[in-house]
Amino acid sequence: NRADQVVVLSGFLKDIFDRYAIPCEVIPNIVVLQPQKQRERDIAPRFISIRHLEPLYNISCILQAYEQVLMAYPNATLGILGKGSMREQLEQYVVDKKLTGVQFVGQVPNQQIYDYLDKADIMLSASRADNMPVSLLEAMNAGLLVISSRVGGVPYMIEEGKTGVLFESDNANELAQKMLWALEHSEEVKQIISNAQNAVQKYS
């Protein structure tokens, strides 16, 4: 209350401040638009995750959903970027479940992110809490479909069925269903991607 101006990253946080009658202005995260990295996709089962390998980001949920998708699409791939304390446990899960097509890439420099996004068609995020993840903005900018847990500020960034696809946090079965839906409805997905690329312009 003693500040001249309170600035927050998202409408999600603004709603919280509003509960306490503290006026604030939203200045969102930004993303460097790279139109040269955009391309039209055929929507193949090429998935990617770019989050830290920590409990908060729930990569295990993604692996559980991917396990189900593999039954229908044995040629699927999943690139997991990021580092964290759960890497060994997650790698062991992949070994125990004999999951094919999974690659743990580790930490990637920011300037190389789009090279990895270019090899994928669908971005997955299963975090249990979130505000305004730049990785999702980058995926939208690159022309991937974003499938994310419906937590924190994500629904303020992504409109369900219009600029992305959302699922309930920690629900691997629902995530798997959304992944399969995307692979079976490529024309609808291409429209969502187009909408997302338009929407992400405001974060430039």
Side-chain angles (χ1 to χ4, degrees):
N1 283 325
R2 286 156 47 189
D4 294 318
Q5 179 71 52
V6 177
V7 174
V8 295
L9 281 175
S10 67
F12 166 62
L13 291 180
K14 182 179 186 305
D15 285 351
I16 293 174
F17 276 79
D18 284 347
R19 294 179 206 164
Y20 298 92
I22 298 175
C24 62
E25 180 177 357
V26 177
I27 299 182
N29 281 333
I30 59 172
V31 62
V32 177
L33 299 183
Q34 299 197 30
Q36 73 276 12
K37 297 293 187 180
Q38 298 174 358
R39 64 175 176 82
E40 186 170 337
R41 288 168 159 77
D42 294 326
I43 316 303
R46 296 187 289 258
F47 303 98
I48 190 169
S49 165
I50 308 178
R51 308 310 299 265
H52 293 302
L53 310 187
E54 299 294 345
L56 174 67
Y57 297 107
N58 207 9
I59 306 301
S60 59
C61 179
I62 290 175
L63 288 175
Q64 291 164 24
Y66 179 76
E67 182 179 356
Q68 297 181 44
V69 172
L70 270 178
M71 297 178 189
Y73 294 89
N75 63 327
T77 61
L78 170 61
I80 299 177
L81 279 63
K83 63 180 181 179
S85 62
M86 292 192 67
R87 177 162 179 166
E88 184 176 341
Q89 179 181 334
L90 294 168
E91 288 179 325
Q92 189 61 50
Y93 183 91
V94 169
V95 172
D96 292 344
K97 297 293 185 176
K98 298 181 173 61
L99 303 184
T100 58
V102 179
Q103 180 184 15
F104 287 87
V105 179
Q107 190 74 13
V108 173
N110 288 342
Q111 61 268 27
Q112 295 179 18
I113 289 294
Y114 280 92
D115 294 334
Y116 286 91
L117 290 172
D118 187 56
K119 300 172 186 175
D121 295 323
I122 300 173
M123 159 73 84
L124 304 175
S125 177
S127 55
R128 295 185 171 103
D130 229 323
N131 183 21
M132 193 181 179
V134 172
S135 60
L136 302 192
L137 294 177
E138 290 171 333
M140 293 164 69
N141 177 36
L144 281 73
L145 173 69
V146 173
I147 303 179
S148 174
S149 51
R150 188 186 287 105
V151 295
V154 174
Y156 293 78
M157 296 169 53
I158 296 174
E159 186 175 349
E160 165 65 24
K162 185 173 181 181
T163 57
V165 177
L166 303 176
F167 69 97
E168 291 305 315
S169 177
D170 219 17
N171 190 331
N173 291 333
E174 185 183 5
L175 172 55
Q177 291 169 10
K178 301 284 186 174
M179 293 162 70
L180 291 169
W181 175 89
L183 296 171
E184 295 160 5
H185 295 81
S186 60
E187 291 307 311
E188 292 174 58
V189 167
K190 288 178 183 178
Q191 184 58 57
I192 292 173
I193 289 172
S194 177
N195 295 340
Q197 287 180 317
N198 291 330
V200 81
Q201 301 296 316
K202 65 185 177 183
Y203 298 109
S204 170

